[in-house]
Amino acid sequence: MNLDSIKFDGSGLIPAIAQDAQSGQVLMLAWMNREALELTISTRKATYWSRSRQEIWVKGETSGSNQEVVSIFHDCDKDAILLKVNQSNGACHTGDKSCFDAGLMDEISTGENLIAGDK
């Protein structure tokens, strides 16, 4: 992977999707800067950029929910990254296996109002 061809946004970031390498389940979306991507490649530990803390973080460093990187892909436009990982424990900060456990289509089919602020 030629990192010079990767298209980071104006803030120097790129979205990174973590996917379970065995099941294919999408686990989470996070952000990477070039340093985080380089560290992920060199250590095979998913490493991200925290937009709120403005710092590099290694997934699982404090929670124990590690992501061992099996493979890394970029999309056709080279503006998104896909990590296939072996996930220990839950990927989500809530402890759930995936951050994508809530079903938007389920909410739509039950008629729940999805517009923020509307009750």
Side-chain angles (χ1 to χ4, degrees):
M1 179 183 296
N2 178 0
L3 295 188
D4 291 332
S5 68
I6 299 300
K7 297 177 185 171
F8 296 92
D9 69 13
S11 299
L13 302 176
I14 190 167
I17 301 161
Q19 179 182 37
D20 186 284
Q22 275 71 45
S23 71
Q25 181 181 21
V26 174
L27 301 174
M28 60 180 275
L29 168 74
W31 295 88
M32 291 180 155
N33 61 10
R34 187 180 180 111
E35 180 184 4
L37 183 54
E38 288 171 344
L39 286 167
T40 297
I41 293 167
S42 67
T43 65
R44 294 180 103 38
K45 294 179 183 177
T47 305
Y48 302 106
W49 175 255
S50 171
R51 295 180 299 167
S52 60
R53 295 188 314 268
Q54 293 291 295
E55 65 184 16
I56 294 282
W57 60 281
V58 178
K59 178 67 176 159
E61 198 169 55
T62 56
S63 68
S65 296
N66 302 302
Q67 291 178 344
E68 173 195 358
V69 177
V70 175
S71 57
I72 304 173
F73 299 87
H74 56 70
D75 72 337
C76 58
D77 294 324
K78 298 183 180 178
D79 61 0
I81 298 292
L82 174 65
L83 305 175
K84 293 196 177 191
V85 302
N86 291 325
Q87 175 71 50
S88 67
N89 304 316
C92 188
H93 72 279
T94 64
D96 288 341
K97 170 82 174 166
S98 170
C99 294
F100 292 94
D101 286 339
L104 181 62
M105 290 304 292
D106 292 338
E107 292 174 6
I108 291 170
S109 66
T110 62
E112 289 185 34
N113 192 334
L114 300 176
I115 300 173
D118 285 353
K119 301 287 181 196

